[in-house]
Amino acid sequence: MKNPEPIPTASTLLGWYDRHARNMPWRVAPALRKTGVKPDPYHVWLSEVMLQQTQVSTVVAYFLDFLQKWPTIKDLALAPDDDVMKAWAGLGYYSRARNLKKCAETVWHEFGGHFPQTANGLAALPGIGPYTAAAMASIAFDEPVAVVDGNVERVFSRLFLIEEPMPQGKETVRRLVSQMLSRDRPGDFAQATMDLGATLCSPRKPACPLCPLAQSCLAAQEGIAQEFPRKLAKSKKPARVGAAFVIMNSKAEVFLQRRDARGLLGGMTAVPTTNWSVRADGATGAASAPVKGNWLARGKISHSFTHFDLELEVWALEGIEAIPLPGWWAGDETLSGEALPTVMKKVIDCAIGTSFTRINPAKGRKS
């Protein structure tokens, strides 16, 4: 790591942010912040949880949908679990939805609907890790604490030529952010750094000539910005296989079940499948189906999870009226409203030979 000359300052970054801040429904614009308007902690929390591993463009529609359904932390805390899981379907990383509900209940029942106002206090809540706690404390409550996500890592590793690969270099980045951040506008500083990383200081083809910190950025000066942050070589993800079984009755309704609350896709809605996981393959073939019948092979679908890739055989059975399994039937008018993760939508698409998004076009949600 090297120290740039001149040393980058918070005021330079904040001046750029005042002119170029991205417009987001959960964010208070910098001009309004200066007049004393503060972000709603509920909005900041909801957006930060949704934005974990998910792009802004995808999150916006979900965020607005959640606010329409549950305008306050009380509304979300008292909402049925199934409704929350249904609204979350398609966002992925479903443990986030379960923890979101637990956190809302905790804040409402134990804190009277008010979030703790420090990073340490927030980190004690269900589902709130160090990053989310810091982001909330900084943005919602103006605590001068370092907020470090992937965008911030990229900006600071380039500014200071941090040779430590990520994530090992995260603490070095955190220390540098703590030194540079604005004590007067810590929330705006956090969002400014994230905006810079998401727009100009992008992973590929960074727009260095337009960057407000270019004169201080060591990587830009040496023309090697794309080489940072350094990263360890990724190990190849394991590939798993299994089978999924789509059962339809004479009304063309699909048989659905709720997955166990624990484990991958916990609490979500699904068609019956074999027991595949990150550690083991699931059984394949019609012989592994949950009921006997004239099963038809519909093909295969592929889906990538964080820690493994999955290929599922898709089998279909039609004209069945009674199933000796726990579950329920869902037709065209209700299927798109079920808490179906993306992998299950792919399975159903493959089985019925149509696009899931055409089952109910009014839903209008990208998944």
Side-chain angles (χ1 to χ4, degrees), residues 127 211 231:
C211 178
K231 293 185 179 180

Side-chain angles (χ1 to χ4, degrees), residues 8 10 36-37 39 80 82 123 130 133 146 171 174 194 198 278 299 301 320 347-348:
V37 178
D82 286 353
E171 285 308 310
R174 196 184 312 279
M194 290 187 279
V278 65
I301 64 99
I320 302 299
V347 167
I348 294 172

